[in-house]
Amino acid sequence: MEVVVDHLADERNKAQFDVDAMKIVWAGSQHDFNVTDRMSRLVASDPAFSKDGRTMLGRKELVKNTLRKAAHAWKRIIELRLSEEEANKLRNFVDEPAFTDLHWGMFIPAIKGQGTDEQQQKWLPLAFKMQIIGCYAQTELGHGSNVQGLETTATFDPLTDEFIIHSPTLTSSKWWPGGLGKVSTHAVVYARLLTDGQEHGVHGFIVQLRSLDDHSPLPGITVGDIGMKFGNGAYNTMDNGVLQFDHVRIPRNQMLMRVSQITREGKVTQSDVPRQLVYGTMVYVRQTIVADASCALSRAVCIATRYSAVRRQFGSQNGGPETQVIDYKTQQSRLFPLLATAYAYRFVGEWLKWLYTDVTQRLQANDFSTLPEAHACTAGLKSLTTSTTALFPDMASGAVTDSTFPLFAIQSEDGIEECRKLCGGHGYLCSSGLPELFAVYVPACTYEGDNVVLLLQILVDISVMKLTHPGNFNSIPLASSISMFLLQSNPKSFPGLLGVARFLMKTVSQLGSGKNPVGTTSYMGRIEHLMQCQCDVQRAEDWVKPSVILEAFEARACRMSVACARNISKLPSQEEGFTELSSDLAEAAVAHCQLIVVSKFIEKLQQDIPGKGVKEQLQLLCGIYALFLVHKYQGDFLSTGSITPKQASLVNDQLRSLYAQLRPNAISLVDAFNYTDHYLGSVLGRYDGNVYPNLYNEAWKDPLNDSVVPDGYHEYIYPMLKQQLRNARL
Amino acid sequence: MEVVVDHLADERNKAQFDVDAMKIVWAGSQHDFNVTDRMSRLVASDPAFSKDGRTMLGRKELVKNTLRKAAHAWKRIIELRLSEEEANKLRNFVDEPAFTDLHWGMFIPAIKGQGTDEQQQKWLPLAFKMQIIGCYAQTELGHGSNVQGLETTATFDPLTDEFIIHSPTLTSSKWWPGGLGKVSTHAVVYARLLTDGQEHGVHGFIVQLRSLDDHSPLPGITVGDIGMKFGNGAYNTMDNGVLQFDHVRIPRNQMLMRVSQITREGKVTQSDVPRQLVYGTMVYVRQTIVADASCALSRAVCIATRYSAVRRQFGSQNGGPETQVIDYKTQQSRLFPLLATAYAYRFVGEWLKWLYTDVTQRLQANDFSTLPEAHACTAGLKSLTTSTTALFPDMASGAVTDSTFPLFAIQSEDGIEECRKLCGGHGYLCSSGLPELFAVYVPACTYEGDNVVLLLQILVDISVMKLTHPGNFNSIPLASSISMFLLQSNPKSFPGLLGVARFLMKTVSQLGSGKNPVGTTSYMGRIEHLMQCQCDVQRAEDWVKPSVILEAFEARACRMSVACARNISKLPSQEEGFTELSSDLAEAAVAHCQLIVVSKFIEKLQQDIPGKGVKEQLQLLCGIYALFLVHKYQGDFLSTGSITPKQASLVNDQLRSLYAQLRPNAISLVDAFNYTDHYLGSVLGRYDGNVYPNLYNEAWKDPLNDSVVPDGYHEYIYPMLKQQLRNARL
Ligand SMILES: Cc1cc2nc3c(=O)[nH]c(=O)nc-3n(C[C@H](O)[C@H](O)[C@H](O)COP(=O)(O)OP(=O)(O)OC[C@H]3O[C@@H](n4cnc5c(N)ncnc54)[C@H](O)[C@@H]3O)c2cc1C
Ligand SMILES: Cc1cc2nc3c(=O)[nH]c(=O)nc-3n(C[C@H](O)[C@H](O)[C@H](O)COP(=O)(O)OP(=O)(O)OC[C@H]3O[C@@H](n4cnc5c(N)ncnc54)[C@H](O)[C@@H]3O)c2cc1C
Ligand SMILES: [Ca+2]
């Protein structure tokens, strides 16, 4: 019998809180915990889902292997009669990007959101049973973020009652859609609608791509894979594709017509379908981004934390063991803020989820009129008119681009890289799991995030912008969700931040007008106080108070917005101001968004949280998250006078003390994520901490070790050693 | 005849300076330009060096392909009778990590530095002709940065006059050495010397690993590859290896004995060989790191800049062309500082190179006594005693770890990732060249940098630490070179920064003692002024003055060091202070290092620089580099009162104006790098800007496109579509 030794048992014994209770907190609820736990174990224990060797597979074998897993997952889902929730979780734990992500995550939602009832009735059952497989074909070689620039055309031919889908240029080739390259039978294709020589903007069309009999591309369709992407294994399991149409004909009823319709005669009209329902679709896809970001970051943090406790380097006294690297202050000051960030993102995601579920339910129940009031205090749903006008002009002009959403993601991505570095040399091995986590996360979140935004943009363009009563459309949830993604990354990086910035500028400009800002901008209502208040931290411990932290973040955010508004007003026109000051505006938006995350973490702590010591740990994490931001962005806090240099230096003192308090709980705090070794896919992050023998064994599996003497020895190495290269043909 | 259209011709016509003259500046000299240009073209025009398809190769084929290229390179080097300089450049432009890097870059230097004259005479000619191939085997599974913790033993057996090399534990397995896994016939192996039951620290031994006849591992040797690493192609062309010894015997004269000797009887003694010569070896390897960092960053910047001029998105007016994304302010504020950083690193590298060449020449000419004075004003070689004591205790205690050097590298690495993001979705494709540049650079610089430091550490441990007259060993060059690498990355990231910090603390503490700090710390001599001076910037344009910039950086660095020294003095002991305040100390060290880079850029501008408009462009870049840092680190500048909030905001204004001035020159500034399309290896970065057709053609080369219907269709997709999975065996 194999004896399993827990090399991290000492660490686990140190924990000052109830880990099982924390697991429930992390999962969200007992129910969520149960489902997640069951599905992750189901996958982990099934050899068909083994991840072994996947970073060593050639492209063809890799994709084939993914097809096998997707089929197996679907088989299990059917056999076990899993619910939608369970099926999603199961697919998630299979943990390989696959065509099914796009089928369930983009194709079906697009039909749900943009299809008429008849279209839904026709297509959704086929899709739900996977009798057809669909992808989402929007991006082209020449156009990604600018959807209105797409070149693919859909020309209505009244003679045959068909659309002719065509790619008029090389740059109009569809390019990137996941699942397109080799698998999908159908796609939602976005194209410019042309009828009678007139242009009617970009619309979605359901187009069959491949024969359902033998999978060969239908006439007029050229389709293939766009080639290797960043990383080993990683996103190369996905068949991102290229697609060209040569006058492909589809019936008129395959244009998605929930919002715009085209008649038999080729007349384009707008429906009066309630916009609230369209909005529901957005909700569905958007939540996954937050979940992905906190998830990917927490996986990396789990690996780096466990390995930091296993790894010992330097500091041996009298021949005793060396110091665990997690005990070095420098290691702590890099690792613990990431651990805190993982928790912070988790809670903000949870809040978002609650917000949307609630809003969607009310919308669907037609409980629309009372909605704004109901949510005014908690979520700021009241200021709908402001936000509509503040956000949507940007959407139309393109200033709110795809880049808006992924700020959140990028932060996680950088966090993953930092975790890799924290593992020293071994983090660079694929067997550490970190390279693949990084490479796969870049698109899985950043670019799928983009897709979601693009989907939103389409919806907004074709429906919301044309609302006759913009006041009726409640867009604050949209505004706050966008904010959610705009966290603490490089503030200059994201043109999309300008969308939030515009919203903030609008809020500032209306402050005098009697309209009180609500929801996430409600702090601006206390502008007079926030412009002149002084932080009264005198000793490091004062920084522990949530009210002190919150006020510092509010003062900073408020003052940065006001400074931007002032500077814009000095320039000839507002548009010029936005262009010239875009970097400053983006930084103000970041400040606003960080405030939201900090405040949601603080709100979480005001709830009842059961379990010995659990709340105390969360308080520690909240303090670390907030003060780490204060330190990292001290330039903002100091230049706005929100804190003094002395107080900034007390932040460092307090952080050091919080790190010391966190230290004994670090391993248990990552155990609380409840990740299986299968899911982590990392030798360094193994639950039992038994790193070295496993690292060693993994090495020998490389195909290069099939033979002792490598291929090429006789042709290249031997002649070199023997000075016989001169005559060699190389 | 094929007509080549230059899609970037308009951009090139805009340039306001003489690009050819700038090429010489970038290369360093006319001579450097000529050699570099010739070698890069030689490689680019030789089909045997084609990079096509390398990201798609399986591991075995990839390594075999690299063996072929290495053999071909060596053949060409011999045929063309290339000089060492030319051969190095040629290998560099082949641009694939290979065993030859370690052979020339670590194995030979180790023998040169640590071997006796006889040992050098025996081994170097074999190595120079590649009759043996060597690697550098130091790191073990359990120990990387802590060299003194290595577990491999070399026990002297006086009976046979041999050493017994042995791996007593799993964690003592050598792990990581490049070229070890499949290729090297020999290695310099680091092991603890044991004789007569006594331990004598870690030493280097030349050990043959494989038969020169058939390449099979010699008896007692287990050797293999450690498996896949981060990225496609990338560093997987290298056979990083694992190695275990089972009582392997080697003759006594294969211990590298320049510094320590072991007699026939097993007595260990120290030689009196001049340490200065040992020092020469360090110089050789160290320069390559700086070169690598500026090189990798500049390649990424070149790709992102050209593509940003090609890519158009949004902003079409009346059906005209869309806006080039390089014209967006947000794009500029991310891209142009990286362009400026590439130039800044280039010049600091050039200065370092000059410094070392000069110092080494003097050392070798035994011009040792006058050296300190000769360099006092330019390079600060005078304060040798301070620096010896300030730096070396850390080396011994391990506080100056491997991580000291690569700060510079990490910064470039982050820059590469940022360039990838600046290319939108297409940057994620391997054909953009950016993923591979990133993945390959992480180790090529970060970890090879580590190796170099490890080599230094060994040298320092076994020679310098045992100096009877430490005052005679001039270590300031070492100190400044370490500083060089500590640039603008996350200040918390690097425990090794503490080495520099200790040096700074020592400098501060001696300020009252009449010793005037010189060289890179000479500004500290003006401490009284710097502690109270006030920046007198009143308008944005004032930020253009080099003297103003320099003083701000000096004040910030000085004040941060002084603050650390004060805080340390408040704690019970100095050691405790260093541990507790390590993050603050690291930030002070970063401030010091950034000052050096800025000041070297400014010094460069005081030289005569021929060529129309060339100096003006460099002034622009210098301003952007420095002010970007002021903005990014405004927290430091503000908290030390080195500038006011108002002045911080004027920095932003000035940056905007500098970006606008740089814009028309951007493409020509990256053209000045003189990189061939082969070297860039990027469809997005093509010289002619003809991106789209080439991106499209690349896609079809993926093996997945060999067949229209993918492998696995019949087994997995068809049964899924037809609801026949239930009975499938998956
Ligand atoms: C792995 C992956 C999977 C994908 N899956 C799909 C899919 O399934 N279906 C699909 O349709 N698409 C998909 N995409 C495409 C994806 O949505 C786009 O790549 C994404 O929208 C980015 O657009 P882009 O590449 O055109 O970037 P660009 O817009 O070309 O960005 C280039 C640079 O220009 C800047 N920029 C652009 N516009 C502005 C502006 N107005 N102001 C300031 N700066 C600006 C950007 O910030 C960026 O720095 C996928 C992409 C990837 C990488
Ligand atoms: C691609 C590649 C090629 C390589 N090639 C070679 C080669 O040819 N030959 C060879 O011998 N080796 C080679 N190496 C090994 C390389 O030199 C080591 O990986 C490197 O020295 C890092 O050491 P480590 O992995 O032990 O990191 P660790 O020391 O384990 O670092 C882990 C973490 O602990 C922290 N830490 C460690 N010590 C301290 C301390 N005292 N204070 C504070 N924090 C600390 C580190 O900062 C890091 O965050 C290579 C590595 C790679 C990745
Ligand atoms: Ca990064």
Side-chain angles (χ1 to χ4, degrees), chain A residues 571 575-585, chain B residues 329 656-657:
Chain A
L571 288 164
E575 268 326 293
E576 209 169 304
F578 270 91
T579 309
E580 268 303 305
L581 300 173
S582 51
S583 293
D584 297 352
L585 282 162
Chain B
K329 303 277 170 190
R656 276 196 297 280
S657 135

Side-chain angles (χ1 to χ4, degrees), chain A residues 413-415 417-418 421 438, chain B residues 413-415 417-418 421 438:
Chain A
E413 186 197 310
D414 288 348
E417 254 298 280
E418 181 75 351
K421 290 173 190 157
F438 178 79
Chain B
E413 186 197 310
D414 288 349
E417 254 298 279
E418 181 74 353
K421 290 172 189 157
F438 178 79

